[in-house]
Amino acid sequence: MLTGAEREPIARLQELFPELPRPVLVKAEVIRKGIRYTPNLLAIGKWAVPQVHYIFEWDHQDLHSPSDAAEGWITVPGVFQLGDGTTAILKLDNTSPYEIRNAGDARYWLYCGEEPVEEVYFEPRPEWFAKRTRDGTLMCKVAASPGRNCIFAITLLGHCEYFNSNEQCVFCCLVPTADKFRELGIEKGVRAKADQVLEVYETVLREHPIAHVNLTGGGLKDLRKEAELYVGFLRAVMGRLPPGDQVPWLVIPQALDEESQRRIYEAGQGKVFLCHPIEVWDEKQFELMAPGKARYVGRKQWLAALERAVGIFGRGRVLTNIVGGLEMAPPHGFPSYAEGMRATLEYFEWCFQRGIVPSYLFWTSAPGSVYADVQPPPTEYMLAATLEFLRLQKKYRLPFPPCVCHKCRAVSVESDIMRLVPEYRLLPDGTSLYAYA
């Protein structure tokens, strides 16, 4: 057990949230505070699932060098697991009190200072990561995953036009991540190619199951052009998937017009869930923290698109998200936690009332983003917001969709709580609110 000052963070969380399992609290802490870099991580990264940053990186600090990227990826683990299967992002931050140490006999422990916290585990890297497509492309550059029976993540467009005019979302480091990869000698394609993706998809399935597919990317100022990229890709892929394939897809463009939404629905052949991530809920903060989306789409249009999509895709098949904690970030954040929580509750209620699945991903400031040096709010604030999400989810009886799972939700804890705490997984009549229960 931790003692003294080093015991305080976990002990305090246990006192504040006695209903939550310890692994959930540990995960929330390391999402918020990160893991200190040590050579142990390089050693583990030689055989574990590595960092590939398929859309952008989560590290708080840029600590990588070309020697870390000799294999075509970052030789540091991307995630780690706790004993009950809870999966957490491995976000590097040398200001963190936490680090991972080798305990011998292929065992590893998370430490806070000099005190052990929890034993941690790493999944061996799947063989397909190091294989190449017929045209010689490393397969983990075509799609990414934190491991077996989880997400198959495709970056349709590896660039965001809002960076061109300095109107990018303040938390985002998509373009700086791509630039850093080039510096490290890791080239990432700007556009996903259907033939490559299908080749990798079939290769992965020969090695292990795929639970769900993500299709996302940066934004374009011309929304019709952006929609056409998604529609064209879906049309090129859906009819060529293995016979009987029913893996759900989560498609994540900006908020689109009705015609574009219907075209995505038709191209998805019944497999697609649609997500229009609004990122920031408060109207004024949306304009200041997501300036490109505010200028070229607008909050009013964004909300209308989400409501309209439910009529096309169905209740519980439309998602959105905010970057949890960003509402508190200075200089434009709320002056009090109470105000931030009120706005977050308004967001949850608005979505649930309309059959839209909201999400609350923990904000973690990343290198290259506008808010790279801004600190997120404390762990307890994030946990309190997550519990409000779960309370309202039960109230509105909106199941957690099968297009996401606890394993790849490495920067949020709602799916872990639903998986581990029956109170938040089942309704009184025994109906499951969690697709993977």
Side-chain angles (χ1 to χ4, degrees):
M1 297 292 292
L2 299 177
T3 58
E6 292 174 346
R7 178 180 181 273
E8 195 268 337
I10 301 296
R12 185 184 70 249
L13 292 176
Q14 288 178 313
E15 292 173 359
L16 291 171
F17 304 100
E19 73 273 40
L20 296 183
R22 179 181 170 85
V24 170
L25 304 179
V26 173
K27 175 180 176 176
E29 264 285 277
V30 297
I31 296 174
R32 169 62 182 80
K33 296 178 180 175
I35 301 290
R36 191 162 57 243
Y37 177 85
T38 69
N40 279 325
L41 297 179
L42 278 180
I44 299 167
K46 294 183 182 302
W47 55 267
V49 176
Q51 289 189 7
V52 295
H53 304 324
Y54 86 98
I55 184 74
F56 50 73
E57 72 169 303
W58 297 95
D59 295 338
H60 178 62
Q61 293 166 294
D62 181 2
L63 299 170
H64 306 304
S65 64
S67 63
D68 299 340
E71 301 297 326
W73 51 71
I74 303 297
T75 313
V76 170
V79 295
F80 65 89
Q81 286 82 36
L82 300 174
D84 64 352
T86 298
T87 301
I89 195 81
L90 202 157
K91 178 188 79 170
L92 297 179
D93 188 338
N94 277 348
T95 67
S96 172
Y98 298 100
E99 69 176 61
I100 291 172
R101 299 182 183 179
N102 189 337
D105 298 324
R107 297 177 66 187
Y108 300 91
W109 276 78
L110 178 70
Y111 272 72
C112 182
E114 293 304 313
E115 297 293 333
V117 178
E118 288 283 324
E119 187 169 7
V120 298
Y121 306 85
F122 297 89
E123 183 174 333
R125 183 174 62 247
E127 293 180 5
W128 65 266
F129 269 63
K131 293 181 179 179
R132 294 185 178 271
T133 61
R134 285 184 288 271
D135 66 4
T137 303
L138 197 65
M139 287 193 175
C140 67
K141 294 182 184 178
V142 176
S145 175
R148 296 157 181 81
N149 196 25
C150 189
I151 193 173
F152 183 89
I154 308 161
T155 302
L156 180 62
L157 181 64
H159 181 74
C160 177
E161 281 192 337
Y162 296 142
F163 279 84
N164 299 348
S165 51
N166 200 32
E167 295 176 291
Q168 70 270 27
C169 297
V170 296
F171 62 87
C172 183
C173 62
L174 188 155
V175 171
T177 295
D179 292 343
K180 179 62 179 180
F181 261 49
R182 280 190 290 273
E183 291 177 19
L184 296 174
I186 303 175
E187 288 294 333
K188 298 180 71 174
V190 176
R191 287 273 301 275
K193 301 175 182 177
D195 288 343
Q196 280 187 339
V197 169
L198 285 164
E199 183 182 354
V200 176
Y201 191 83
E202 293 170 359
T203 302
V204 173
L205 285 176
R206 286 194 290 270
E207 186 175 350
H208 62 76
I210 293 170
H212 53 102
V213 177
N214 255 38
L215 182 65
T216 188
L220 297 179
K221 296 175 181 179
D222 184 337
L223 295 181
R224 287 294 185 97
K225 184 178 179 181
E226 181 176 328
E228 190 58 43
L229 291 178
Y230 283 92
V231 171
F233 186 85
L234 290 170
R235 285 177 174 170
V237 169
M238 284 295 175
R240 298 164 60 191
L241 293 172
D245 185 289
Q246 292 299 317
V247 174
W249 285 56
L250 181 60
V251 176
I252 315 175
Q254 294 185 89
L256 304 175
D257 61 42
E258 182 174 357
E259 179 186 353
S260 297
Q261 289 174 331
R262 291 191 181 279
R263 293 177 69 212
I264 286 177
Y265 176 79
E266 292 165 2
Q269 299 182 8
K271 299 179 184 179
V272 164
F273 292 70
L274 184 68
C275 179
H276 293 322
I278 194 169
E279 319 291 14
V280 186
W281 177 251
D282 179 77
E283 185 173 0
K284 291 182 180 179
Q285 291 179 352
F286 182 77
E287 294 177 358
L288 295 166
M289 297 181 178
K293 290 183 173 181
R295 178 180 177 185
Y296 291 94
V297 185
R299 184 176 184 273
K300 182 178 179 180
Q301 291 80 1
W302 207 287
L303 298 182
L306 285 166
E307 288 194 84
R308 184 176 58 243
V310 176
I312 298 170
F313 288 81
R315 182 178 183 270
R317 296 185 68 91
V318 176
L319 297 83
T320 189
N321 74 268
I322 61 171
V323 181
L326 193 64
E327 68 276 4
M328 298 305 304
H332 306 303
F334 290 109
S336 72
Y337 292 129
E339 290 174 87
M341 195 64 69
R342 276 196 296 271
T344 301
L345 288 173
E346 180 183 301
Y347 155 69
F348 290 149
E349 285 272 9
W350 188 92
C351 291
F352 279 125
Q353 287 171 359
R354 292 159 177 79
I356 299 162
V357 181
S359 181
Y360 188 84
L361 304 180
F362 287 22
W363 168 44
T364 172
S365 48
S369 68
V370 176
Y371 279 12
D373 298 318
V374 180
Q375 286 292 311
T379 306
E380 51 264 40
Y381 175 87
M382 310 285 209
L383 286 169
T386 301
L387 287 176
E388 290 298 333
F389 164 87
L390 293 166
R391 178 180 64 81
L392 290 169
Q393 189 211 22
K394 288 191 69 174
K395 174 183 175 181
Y396 289 100
R397 295 172 171 256
L398 194 64
F400 207 61
C403 57
V404 291
C405 71
H406 78 273
K407 188 172 182 179
C408 60
R409 301 287 279 192
V411 290
S412 66
V413 297
E414 77 275 62
S415 55
D416 297 292
I417 297 170
M418 294 171 68
R419 180 174 58 94
L420 298 170
V421 183
E423 175 188 351
Y424 296 109
R425 186 176 72 233
L426 301 174
L427 295 169
D429 61 4
T431 303
S432 175
L433 284 170
Y434 185 48
Y436 291 86

